[in-house]
Amino acid sequence: AQSVTQLGSHVSVSEGALVLLRCNYSSSVPPYLFWYVQYPNQGLQLLLKYTTGATLVKGINGFEAEFKKSETSFHLTKPSAHMSDAAEYFCAVSFMNRDDKIIFGKGTRLHILP
Amino acid sequence: SQTIHQWPATLVQPVGSPLSLECTVEGTSNPNLYWYRQAAGRGLQLLFYSVGIGQISSEVPQNLSASRPQDRQFILSSKKLLLSDSGFYLCAWTPGGKSYEQYFGPGTRLTVT
């Protein structure tokens, strides 16, 4: 069965420090991978996605993620955290099927310390 | 460009009252549509999805129902709300084909009192 695991429900980093949010998935078929961000009382916004091709994917707001098939991981990084990055982040995985359902991780809340 | 709308933005309803939340998508045709719920401090729970008009699949048995009367309209309903129905309701769509990412609406905050 396919699943997504996000390590750490809360992560705190200092402003200007590296952001690393971890995501691992399990799948028997090639996955499509996504990261979403959610600010309080708003919908989810797509940060970046991996479908095929280059395994290092760049997204909005300076975030990037690398698909590592051997590690079944898709960790999200940003070199320098900004106060505006404080939000909840969801990793998600999808597969080629007609209903296009996405499996979401449980989310990681990112706190930025001044 | 495509946009997704949800209304109302916030709603306070007493236990036992009916519910109707609406979601519409503009700028696309034949989207797949989804209803999710976020309870306080919890992740996303898929409630219903639809691949076409009148086609509804339920993921979780409960007192909620969904309908898709038009191609780009998705409605979430209940005849009698429970306290446990409180949460943040999100509608999402995907264009299907080779695009698998979902795009989310702004959400509806429902408080059942």
Side-chain angles (χ1 to χ4, degrees):
Chain A
Q2 294 90 356
S3 65
V4 178
T5 302
Q6 291 184 239
L7 297 178
S9 57
H10 292 265
V11 170
S12 295
V13 301
S14 297
E15 190 174 18
L18 171 72
V19 175
L20 171 61
L21 302 183
R22 301 178 185 273
C23 174
N24 288 87
Y25 68 92
S26 66
S27 171
S28 57
V29 298
Y32 294 166
L33 296 158
F34 312 93
W35 276 99
Y36 286 85
V37 61
Q38 185 181 31
Y39 299 99
N41 293 312
Q42 294 186 26
L44 277 68
Q45 179 183 7
L46 182 66
L47 268 180
L48 49 79
K49 65 178 180 180
Y50 168 80
T51 53
T52 59
T55 56
L56 181 63
V57 180
K58 295 186 183 297
I60 62 173
N61 302 338
F63 284 94
E64 62 182 35
E66 186 171 11
F67 170 55
K68 292 187 176 180
K69 184 178 179 180
S70 61
E71 299 178 7
T72 62
S73 69
F74 191 57
H75 301 331
L76 182 70
T77 61
K78 181 174 180 178
S80 177
H82 195 273
M83 295 300 291
S84 61
D85 295 326
E88 187 147 26
Y89 292 80
F90 292 91
C91 181
V93 61
S94 181
F95 309 94
M96 189 180 298
N97 51 43
R98 182 171 180 266
D99 56 34
D100 294 339
K101 285 192 287 185
I102 287 183
I103 300 171
F104 285 89
K106 294 187 176 182
T108 297
R109 184 161 300 277
L110 177 63
H111 305 271
I112 309 298
L113 307 174
Chain B
S1 64
Q2 300 90 0
T3 55
I4 179 170
H5 303 279
Q6 286 187 246
W7 63 88
T10 61
L11 191 60
V12 180
Q13 292 282 93
V15 168
S17 63
L19 173 73
S20 181
L21 303 181
E22 188 165 344
C23 169
T24 59
V25 181
E26 296 178 355
T28 188
S29 59
N30 197 30
N32 289 357
L33 296 170
Y34 307 82
W35 277 113
Y36 291 88
R37 178 171 61 198
Q38 273 185 304
R42 301 180 66 177
L44 288 160
Q45 179 186 30
L46 179 62
L47 302 175
F48 301 94
Y49 68 92
S50 172
V51 299
I53 296 175
Q55 301 179 61
I56 308 295
S57 296
S58 174
E59 291 290 300
V60 183
Q62 54 203 333
N63 69 320
L64 299 174
S65 62
S67 62
R68 185 170 177 175
Q70 301 180 43
D71 181 44
R72 291 169 291 174
Q73 184 184 31
F74 205 23
I75 297 172
L76 183 69
S77 303
S78 174
K79 293 182 178 178
K80 290 185 177 182
L81 283 168
L82 306 173
L83 284 174
S84 57
D85 291 325
S86 292
F88 193 51
Y89 288 81
L90 290 161
C91 181
W93 71 279
T94 183
K98 294 186 177 180
S99 297
Y100 294 93
E101 65 269 25
Q102 291 181 7
Y103 298 95
F104 285 79
T108 295
R109 173 75 60 192
L110 172 65
T111 303
V112 182
T113 60

